[in-house]
Amino acid sequence: MYVRSLELKNYRNYERLNLDLNKGLNIFVGENAQGKTNIVESIYYLSSLRSHRTNRDRELIMWGKDKAYIRADVEKMFGKHTMEFLLSSEGKKAVKIDGVKTSKVSDFLGTVNVVIFSPEDLKLVKEGPAIRRRFIDAELNQIRPKYHHAILQYNHILMQRNNLLKSILKSPSLKMTAEVFSEQLAEYGSFITEARYEFVKKLSLISRLIHRKITNGKEELEIIYKSASGENMDRKSIKDELYKYYTENIMEDAEKGYTLKGPHRDDIIIKINGADARIYGSQGQQRTAALSLKLSELEIIKSEVSEYPVLLLDDVLSELDINRQHFLLDALKEIQTVLTCTSLNDINEFHFENKDVFKVTAGKIEKFNAV
């Protein structure tokens, strides 16, 4: 799949933009704060109905304007689609696919698949569990629309339970009310945990093979899903374990003021040669592991939808050494890639049959043939 054309109106610093992209490598070069990442962000929006930088659509609208518009023509193996998004400063949004308005996110997710790799993703290994949960959730949302619904429902019910927990110590009679949430939390929580576990099994297998290639067989990468739900990862066992916890530990959670157990607390453990990479890995090892994980996303999505997603590389080459740069770019021959950088020096030596270069200056884009 690939994005053939992109149109923006009043989006970030683009008052009006019409852009044609090719199936191969599309390079956007320019100084910082000129609008390169805004292009990447708008394409990411096509897959997720959200930005990778903010949760507020209002920030995507040009200063002083009330609305922003995104339109993209997408070509896939089994057809073409036109996607349109109208964002309002009031927080409302309108979405159309092939001219038909849709209000259900599940009808929209999966129309186009995107993988993004930015400097923030290099923190996948060394930062806390939240960033790794977001990494898993972002991909599962694309390939399993029901997962997105489960996450929304789980988080909503969890917030209700946590709000109630803060009042139980003063009003113990509210304990019975908290028990009402146990069944629903266990139902959605078990679905989320099982889906993540299955995803991580695939991720571990594929990333291990990729990591071996990057390190010339010197390192073995292992990804393990760490859940508080126990060792049995079938859905019934997970649900029983979660339900037992939610019903039997209300007062313990009330003392803390929040729910201590569930998929919102789970993590993945990343090991290199048997050692926890977060604790014992060098910076180079951690970055190689992050690269292996991101490249694995491409293969997992292809296995699910039968074609590669669009890959967005936002100023990430400057964070990788030359060997990792070579491995990354050599892997992109069959994938539409949108790459941002501040200089063309790092990519002049790489040969791509389909390659376009765009100069970005203060929200204006000019195509040229410098490479």
Side-chain angles (χ1 to χ4, degrees):
M1 69 182 66
Y2 76 100
V3 178
R4 189 176 73 246
S5 64
L6 179 69
E7 179 183 355
L8 303 178
K9 294 180 182 177
N10 298 329
Y11 184 92
R12 295 283 194 179
N13 67 332
Y14 291 98
E15 184 175 7
R16 186 177 292 271
L17 174 69
N18 287 281
L19 191 65
D20 292 325
L21 302 172
N22 71 49
K23 296 181 180 180
L25 180 61
N26 300 271
I27 304 168
F28 292 83
V29 60
E31 299 297 325
N32 292 327
Q34 300 302 302
K36 302 188 305 295
T37 295
N38 296 340
I39 298 296
V40 167
E41 179 185 50
S42 66
I43 297 174
Y44 182 82
Y45 200 94
L46 305 178
S47 70
S48 60
L49 210 59
R50 61 180 293 272
S51 163
H52 67 293
R53 297 189 288 177
T54 177
N55 291 323
R56 296 188 295 179
D57 281 354
R58 179 65 188 87
E59 296 180 15
L60 309 182
I61 302 172
M62 176 177 278
W63 180 258
K65 302 294 184 179
D66 295 325
K67 292 180 172 62
Y69 177 74
I70 307 171
R71 183 184 188 277
D73 291 316
V74 179
E75 293 205 14
K76 302 179 68 174
M77 182 184 299
F78 301 110
K80 302 177 182 180
H81 297 287
T82 297
M83 311 174 72
E84 297 175 88
F85 310 86
L86 183 64
L87 313 181
S88 168
S89 58
E90 299 174 352
K92 299 177 181 179
K93 68 183 75 179
V95 180
K96 288 184 179 180
I97 301 176
D98 300 328
V100 179
K101 189 173 182 179
T102 178
S103 57
K104 293 176 62 178
V105 176
S106 59
D107 292 339
F108 163 83
L109 291 174
T111 304
V112 59
N113 301 111
V114 171
V115 168
I116 187 169
F117 191 19
S118 67
E120 288 73 24
D121 290 309
L122 294 170
K123 302 175 183 177
L124 265 172
V125 180
K126 64 182 180 181
E127 295 293 326
I131 193 172
R132 289 182 286 278
R133 289 194 296 269
R134 286 196 298 270
F135 160 70
I136 299 173
D137 292 345
E139 296 317 307
L140 282 170
N141 282 341
Q142 292 193 61
I143 60 180
R144 295 189 65 176
K146 290 183 179 180
Y147 184 86
H148 179 263
H149 174 74
I151 282 285
L152 290 179
Q153 292 300 312
Y154 179 85
N155 287 337
H156 177 67
I157 299 166
L158 180 67
M159 181 177 65
Q160 290 179 301
R161 185 180 193 267
N162 285 343
N163 288 337
L164 195 61
L165 290 173
K166 297 171 185 177
S167 303
I168 284 179
L169 293 181
K170 293 182 180 179
S171 304
S173 61
L174 293 174
K175 180 180 178 182
M176 292 183 63
T177 306
E179 291 177 355
V180 173
F181 299 123
S182 298
E183 175 68 27
Q184 290 176 298
L185 273 180
E187 178 68 28
Y188 288 115
S190 61
F191 177 88
I192 293 166
T193 301
E194 183 185 48
R196 285 179 178 173
Y197 175 71
E198 294 299 326
F199 176 83
V200 170
K201 280 203 303 184
K202 292 181 181 178
L203 184 71
S204 183
L205 175 62
I206 297 171
S207 62
R208 180 186 296 120
L209 299 175
I210 292 174
H211 199 84
R212 283 177 184 169
K213 292 180 181 178
I214 299 176
T215 63
N216 294 317
K218 296 177 182 178
E219 294 179 0
E220 284 289 313
L221 182 68
E222 184 181 9
I223 314 296
I224 303 167
Y225 188 69
K226 181 183 179 183
S227 173
S229 301
E231 298 296 325
N232 295 322
M233 284 289 105
D234 65 278
R235 188 171 177 186
K236 184 180 184 305
S237 298
I238 299 168
K239 182 178 178 180
D240 290 345
E241 181 68 24
L242 288 175
Y243 181 78
K244 180 180 179 182
Y245 177 84
Y246 294 139
T247 53
E248 294 181 358
N249 293 272
I250 293 175
M251 298 310 295
E252 288 83 351
D253 284 349
E255 291 178 0
K256 292 290 186 180
Y258 55 89
T259 304
L260 289 168
K261 187 173 179 177
H264 63 288
R265 305 279 290 180
D266 290 352
D267 195 3
I268 58 175
I269 306 301
I270 301 170
K271 292 186 176 183
I272 298 175
N273 293 339
D276 190 328
R278 184 185 180 193
I279 300 173
Y280 301 106
S282 66
Q283 186 178 66
Q285 287 178 315
Q286 291 175 344
R287 292 189 171 195
T288 303
L291 176 58
S292 299
L293 290 175
K294 299 305 290 188
L295 291 176
S296 298
E297 286 185 74
L298 300 172
E299 300 299 333
I300 289 176
I301 290 178
K302 186 188 179 186
S303 71
E304 294 286 339
V305 304
S306 302
E307 55 186 326
Y308 280 113
V310 178
L311 177 62
L312 308 175
L313 300 177
D314 188 20
D315 200 26
V316 75
L317 286 185
S318 61
E319 302 290 335
L320 301 173
D321 63 28
I322 190 64
N323 291 330
R324 295 182 183 90
Q325 286 183 22
H326 271 283
F327 191 92
L328 174 59
L329 292 177
D330 285 345
L332 307 182
K333 304 300 183 182
E334 300 178 55
I335 303 170
Q336 184 188 40
T337 302
V338 176
L339 183 154
T340 71
C341 59
T342 56
S343 170
L344 294 176
N345 293 336
D346 292 335
I347 55 178
N348 276 326
E349 63 184 275
F350 296 99
H351 175 70
F352 283 79
E353 292 184 4
N354 295 315
K355 176 167 60 178
D356 288 329
V357 180
F358 303 88
K359 176 69 175 179
V360 184
T361 308
K364 304 294 182 183
I365 295 181
E366 178 185 5
K367 184 177 177 180
F368 69 112
N369 298 312
V371 180

